[in-house]
Amino acid sequence: MTTSVPMNPRRFIATLAEPAAQPRGDAGWVGYVWALGGWAMVTIVETGFAPWLGLVGAVLAYLLMAALIAARFGPRPALLAAALSAGMLGYLLLLPASQETLPRGQIVAAAAGLLGTAAVVAYLITDLRLRALQAASREQRAQALYAMSRELSSALLPEQIADIATRQLDAVFQSRVALLLPDAAEQVDVLANAAPPAFVLRRELAQWVYDHQEAAGLGTSTLPSSTVRYLPLKAPMRTRGVLAIEPSDPAALQRPERQRLLDAFTAQIALALERVHYVFVAQEAEVSMASERLRNGILSAISHDLRTPLTALVGLSSALAEPQTLADDTRRELAGAVQEEALRMSALVINLLDMARLEVGRIRLNKQWQVPQESVGGALRASRLALLQHQIDTALDDDLPLVAFDAVLVERVLCNLLENASKYTPAGSTITVGAACTDRDLCFSVADNGPGLVPGSEEAIFEKFTRGQTESATPGVGLGLAICRAIVEAHGGRIWAENRPDGGACFCFTLPAEPPPQMEE
Amino acid sequence: MISMTDSQPSIVIVEDDKHIRRFLRASLEAEGFCVHEAETGRQGLIEAATRKPDLMILDLGLPDMDGNDVIRDLRNWCNVPVIVLSARNQEAEKVAALNGGADDYLTKPFGVPELLARLRAHLRRHQTASCAAGEAEFRLGDVVVNLVERQVSRHGEPIRLTPIEYRMLTTLIRNVGKVMTHRQLLVEVWGPSHVESSHYLRVHMTHLRQKLETDPTQPVYLVTETGVGYRLLR
C-alpha cells in the first residue's frame, strides 16, 4: 500500500456511503447540526452585520465555513453546509430587495461555483484525513510487527517463540493463538511444555494444513465453518509449523489489511522458528566436531605413546621365549623390564579410559562427607612407588572440616599431581602437600622445589595431550592434568598452577565446602 | 589335579581368561599350593563343592553368572575365604562383593607378590580357629592393646579411647588383614540403623589415627581402602 497515490473519486464516493470510513467516530448528526449552525451563523453575519462583504465576501465566507465543517465533521456535513449556503446565496441574490442586481446567470454560476469548490475542498480534506488515519494505523501495525520481531529475535527455544506469538497476536488481533510444531515424524502438535491451548484444536486439520501448506478453517475454502483459522508457517527453507488463531471478532480478521498484517506476523514467526532450528543444528555440529577432534587426538596419542612400550614388550618377551639358554640374571632382567613396560602401558591406558569416560560429560560423582587428611594419606600411599626418591612433607591445617566430594576421584587428582611432581623434578627434591580451608572452599596444594613451570604455560598444561616439555623422554600421554581439571570442575571447583616465588611449581585446586552435618556422639 | 596330601592347601581359581589362569596356577603351584581351575561361575561352585578348597579366587567379570550370585550361593553352605578380582573404577562392584560375603579384593592388573600376601593372610586367619580375638594382646608398632583389660597404651602410658573408638579398634583387630567395608564397620560399631552415615566412621577413624599412629596423615596400620572401607594391617 503506497502513500503517494491520492484516493480516486470512486473511493471518495464510497467513503460517503460507508459510515465506517468517517474520520471521526462521532454520530453523524452532530456534524449536521454544526453544519446547520455554521451556515446559519455566516448567513446572519453576512446579511445582518456585514452587508458590505458583498457577493465575493459571502461566497468566501460560506466556503471557509464549509471547509471547517469538512475538516471537523467530514464530507457529508460539509456538503450539506455547502448546499445550504449555495441555496441561501441564490435566494438572497434573487430577492428583489437585494443590493446588487446581477444577471440570473451570474448568480447561478456563483452558487454552482460555491457548491463545486466546497465539494472539492471536502474531498481533499477527507482524503487528507483518511490518509492521515491510514498512515497512523500503518504506523501502529508496523510498531506491533517491530515489537514482535524484536522479541522474537531474542528467543532461543521454540517454547519461547510460542509464548511470544501467543501474547503478541492476542494483543494485536484480540485472538487466541496456538502454535503447532512438527516432531521427528512430521506430525504437528502443541509443544509439550507450552501452555495448553485455550480453545479446541482440530489436529487433523492442522496436519492437513502442514502437509499441504495451505490455510484452512475460518475464512478459507477448506472447512470455513470452523471458528479457528489454521495457517501454515512458511519459512524460506520449509514450512515450520502451523498457527491456529481463533479471533474474538471473526469479521474483523477478514478485512484485507488485517489479513496482510497477520501474514506479516506469521512470516516473522516462521523465520524465528527457522533461525532457532539452525542455531540448534549449528550447536550439534559444533559438539560433533569437538568429539571428532577428541577422537582423533586419542587415536594419535594411542598410536604414538603406546607403540614404544608395545615394541619393548614384544621384543623382550620374544627374547625370553628363545629356546637358547640365557643366563638367569639376564632372564630376570628381561622379565623385570617386561613388567615395567606393561605397567607403564597400563597407566597410559588407564589415563585414556578415564579421560574418555570423563569426556562423555556424564561424570557421576559419589559425593560423601570426607575427611581431607584421609584423602591426602590415601593418595600418598597409592603413589608411594612413584615418590620413593623424593622427600614428602605435609602441611595440613589442624581444623579441617568435613567436606563433601567423591573420595576416589579426588584421590586420583592428588595422585596425578604427586606423580607429575615426581616426574618433573629431580630425585631428592621435596614435595609438599597442603590442605587449608576458607569459609567457602577447601584448597589442596601440591608444591615442589624443582625447576618450576615454563612461564606462560600455566593454562596450556591443563589442555589434553599437552606436555610440559615437548618431545621429552618422560613417559605419559599428557592427559593427567586434563583429567584433574575435569574432576575438579565437575565438583564446582577450580584448579590452577603457578610458580612459587622461591622456585618450583605449585598446583592448587579448590573444592566447594558446605557446612557439614551435625554429628551425634 | 587331585590333592596328594592334606597339608597342601588347595585353591580354586574361577576366571574365564586363559592366560590369567595360567600365571595364577604357575605362581601358586610354585608356592606349594594345589590349584583347581574353573572357567565359569557354575563350574566354580561345583569345584568348591567337590574339592573343598581352603580359598577361592573369583573373578567378578564372569560370562555366565554375576560374581555376587556366586558368592551368595557359596555362602549358603560354605565358609571358605573368597578373594575377588575386579577392574579399576568399580568400587561399587567391590563393595557389593565384600558386603555379600567376599573377604578381600584385588584390583586388576595386580602382581603376584600382592596376591600371595593377601592369600597368605587369609589362609592364616582361616586356619587358626582362634584368631586375634583369642590373643590377649595386640600390637600396632609401639601401641599395645590389652583386649582382656580393655586398655590401650604406648610405652606404658595409657591412651584414652572413647567407647566408640575402642569398639572400632577391636572390630578391626578381630578382622586384622581383611578389608572391612564402611557398611560392615558401621553395623558392627553403631548397629544396623546407621548404615548410611559413613562420615561418622571417617571422623572417628581420624581420631583413632591421631591417638595411635605416629603420623596420623600417613597411617601405617589403620589404612584407608578408598571408596571401599578400612583395613588394619599388622
Side-chain angles (χ1 to χ4, degrees):
Chain A
M1 252 177 69
T2 62
T3 55
S4 56
V5 175
M7 195 172 41
N8 64 47
R10 231 184 320 208
R11 182 91 181 90
F12 173 61
I13 294 168
T15 68
L16 294 179
E18 282 177 27
Q22 291 289 348
R24 294 267 179 180
D26 299 338
W29 62 267
V30 175
Y32 297 123
V33 168
W34 273 92
L36 207 61
W39 165 78
M41 197 177 73
V42 173
T43 307
I44 290 167
V45 164
E46 195 265 341
T47 53
F49 298 99
W52 45 262
L53 278 176
L55 175 66
V56 173
V59 167
L60 289 175
Y62 279 127
L63 201 56
L64 182 63
M65 182 265 313
L68 289 173
I69 296 289
R72 178 70 180 77
F73 295 107
R76 282 156 67 175
L79 284 175
L80 173 68
L84 288 172
S85 311
M88 178 51 75
L89 204 63
Y91 171 70
L92 287 175
L93 293 173
L94 286 171
L95 277 180
S98 155
Q99 300 279 357
E100 309 189 22
T101 45
L102 291 167
R104 196 158 284 205
Q106 272 195 14
I107 296 169
V108 169
L114 171 63
L115 196 58
T117 314
V120 168
V121 166
Y123 159 65
L124 285 174
I125 289 180
T126 308
D127 179 41
L128 211 68
R129 286 204 66 83
L130 219 57
R131 283 216 236 159
L133 199 72
Q134 282 162 1
S137 80
R138 265 198 294 273
E139 194 203 331
Q140 211 177 42
R141 290 197 292 273
Q143 285 279 25
L145 200 56
Y146 169 64
M148 193 186 75
S149 301
R150 199 175 45 186
E151 265 199 82
L152 281 179
S153 69
S154 60
L156 289 171
L157 295 171
E159 289 82 2
Q160 292 172 335
I161 294 176
D163 178 54
I164 293 168
T166 311
R167 267 187 300 109
Q168 293 279 357
L169 289 171
D170 187 12
V172 174
F173 294 96
Q174 288 79 48
S175 313
R176 288 186 296 203
V177 163
L179 205 63
L180 296 104
L181 298 179
D183 61 13
E186 297 290 303
Q187 302 295 310
V188 287
D189 204 342
V190 185
L191 282 173
N193 43 356
F199 52 96
V200 174
L201 275 179
R202 308 232 347 221
R203 280 173 176 74
E204 70 285 359
L205 191 57
Q207 189 63 45
W208 182 92
V209 167
Y210 180 72
D211 295 334
H212 290 81
Q213 298 177 35
E214 266 179 46
L218 179 73
T220 68
S221 50
T222 315
L223 219 63
S225 56
S226 169
T227 53
V228 180
R229 178 177 300 174
Y230 297 85
L231 296 163
L233 293 166
K234 291 196 207 172
M237 296 297 287
R238 50 169 294 179
T239 305
R240 294 277 159 200
V242 172
L243 184 79
I245 179 165
E246 187 193 52
S248 37
D249 178 9
L253 200 60
Q254 305 286 56
R255 297 214 304 268
E257 72 267 19
R258 301 302 270 178
Q259 298 259 32
R260 276 190 286 266
L261 186 62
L262 185 59
D263 286 344
F265 271 67
T266 54
Q268 286 293 317
I269 294 168
L271 265 175
L273 285 169
E274 188 153 271
R275 177 181 60 79
V276 160
H277 169 75
Y278 280 113
V279 163
F280 176 70
V281 165
Q283 281 171 342
E284 297 263 279
E286 189 68 47
V287 163
S288 79
M289 277 196 317
S291 75
E292 186 72 33
R293 273 196 295 266
L294 178 70
R295 201 168 29 246
N296 290 339
I298 289 180
L299 284 174
S300 77
I302 291 173
S303 74
H304 179 264
D305 279 298
L306 289 182
R307 201 172 292 144
T308 318
L310 275 172
T311 310
L313 278 175
V314 169
L316 287 165
S317 50
S318 70
L320 279 168
E322 279 297 300
Q324 73 229 35
T325 46
L326 293 169
D328 267 351
D329 286 357
T330 321
R331 274 201 187 279
R332 241 194 305 272
E333 203 185 307
L334 291 177
V338 166
Q339 188 181 13
E340 225 177 89
E341 290 297 333
L343 285 170
R344 187 205 293 191
M345 257 183 61
S346 170
L348 290 177
V349 168
I350 284 169
N351 266 357
L352 284 169
L353 285 175
D354 275 352
M355 197 65 232
R357 211 174 299 138
L358 292 169
E359 190 67 22
V360 168
R362 289 183 277 113
I363 307 176
R364 262 176 313 151
L365 299 178
N366 179 8
K367 273 167 92 160
Q368 296 195 17
W369 294 103
Q370 305 287 346
V371 173
Q373 298 96 318
E374 192 171 90
S375 296
V376 171
L380 285 171
R381 185 153 173 269
S383 318
R384 63 188 179 284
L385 287 176
L387 298 172
L388 276 176
Q389 310 211 305
H390 287 77
Q391 175 76 17
I392 305 295
D393 275 345
T394 56
L396 310 176
D397 274 6
D398 284 329
D399 55 351
L400 293 171
L402 289 173
V403 180
F405 54 82
D406 183 318
V408 172
L409 291 178
V410 167
E411 201 176 280
R412 182 98 168 87
V413 173
L414 286 166
C415 283
N416 275 4
L417 294 178
L418 286 166
E419 280 158 18
N420 256 15
S422 126
K423 253 195 283 192
Y424 290 102
T425 59
S429 317
T430 307
I431 300 177
T432 312
V433 184
C437 206
T438 69
D439 54 355
R440 288 230 320 261
D441 301 304
L442 169 70
C443 184
F444 284 105
S445 61
V446 173
D448 61 68
N449 58 1
L453 304 163
V454 172
S457 69
E458 290 90 346
E459 271 298 311
I461 46 177
F462 288 99
E463 296 293 318
K464 294 186 261 290
F465 306 118
T466 56
R467 306 270 302 279
Q469 315 128 271
T470 49
E471 297 309 317
S472 75
T474 42
V477 130
L479 280 177
L481 287 173
I483 291 173
C484 292
R485 181 160 73 173
I487 294 172
V488 169
E489 287 180 357
H491 280 87
R494 207 168 61 88
I495 186 168
W496 71 96
E498 54 199 13
N499 276 325
R500 299 167 86 183
D502 308 332
C506 177
F507 285 78
C508 306
F509 67 97
T510 62
L511 297 170
E514 283 156 28
Q518 290 292 71
M519 297 231 339
E520 337 140 359
E521 231 337 277
Chain B
M1 222 175 99
I2 312 163
S3 92
M4 299 307 260
T5 65
D6 278 340
S7 61
Q8 219 185 7
S10 71
I11 297 180
V12 164
I13 303 174
V14 189
E15 164 63 67
D16 58 324
D17 183 271
K18 187 172 70 169
H19 292 294
I20 298 180
R21 283 202 308 273
R22 186 74 194 81
F23 93 78
L24 283 174
R25 176 187 275 277
S27 350
L28 293 172
E29 281 178 352
E31 295 292 320
F33 294 107
C34 175
V35 175
H36 308 287
E37 291 177 24
E39 275 183 51
T40 64
R42 252 169 274 281
Q43 210 181 329
L45 287 168
I46 294 170
E47 290 285 322
T50 50
R51 311 282 185 183
K52 304 251 188 300
D54 297 291
L55 189 136
M56 178 190 277
I57 297 175
L58 171 67
D59 180 40
L60 286 180
L62 290 171
D64 66 327
M65 277 174 84
D66 183 24
N68 289 311
D69 291 336
V70 174
I71 296 170
R72 192 183 20 251
D73 211 322
L74 192 69
R75 284 286 175 254
N76 277 334
W77 45 269
C78 180
N79 229 6
V80 66
V82 175
I83 298 181
V84 294
L85 305 177
S86 80
R88 271 189 82 253
N89 280 345
Q90 303 281 47
E91 271 73 29
E93 190 183 64
K94 289 175 204 152
V95 168
L98 291 166
N99 283 333
D103 294 81
D104 215 325
Y105 69 94
L106 272 170
T107 310
K108 295 195 279 198
F110 58 87
V112 167
E114 224 182 310
L115 168 69
L116 288 174
R118 293 270 166 96
L119 214 139
R120 289 215 179 84
H122 284 280
L123 282 172
R124 206 178 331 141
R125 265 171 34 85
H126 207 75
Q127 274 160 7
T128 58
S130 60
C131 337
E135 295 171 15
E137 250 189 23
F138 190 88
R139 302 187 75 94
L140 285 97
D142 291 335
V143 172
V144 177
V145 185
N146 189 325
L147 294 155
V148 174
E149 319 234 320
R150 301 168 74 82
Q151 272 178 359
V152 183
S153 58
R154 176 192 278 122
H155 301 309
E157 296 289 322
I159 302 176
R160 308 261 337 244
L161 296 182
T162 69
I164 299 262
E165 287 164 8
Y166 186 76
R167 218 166 30 240
M168 259 177 77
L169 183 60
T170 49
T171 308
L172 286 165
I173 288 175
R174 262 203 305 284
N175 293 281
V176 63
K178 179 179 137 136
V179 61
M180 294 209 75
T181 62
H182 297 300
R183 167 187 271 265
Q184 285 166 343
L185 273 170
L186 284 164
V187 168
E188 292 261 359
V189 177
W190 276 274
S193 59
H194 282 77
V195 283
E196 294 305 315
S197 324
S198 58
H199 55 283
Y200 279 43
L201 258 187
R202 294 194 186 100
V203 171
H204 286 287
M205 180 58 81
T206 309
H207 295 156
L208 209 54
R209 282 169 175 154
Q210 277 161 356
K211 292 179 183 173
L212 302 181
E213 293 270 359
T214 325
D215 181 359
T217 48
Q218 299 191 57
V220 171
Y221 299 101
L222 296 159
V223 153
T224 314
E225 301 276 335
T226 313
V228 176
Y230 294 100
R231 191 195 302 260
L232 177 63
L233 292 178
R234 220 182 193 128

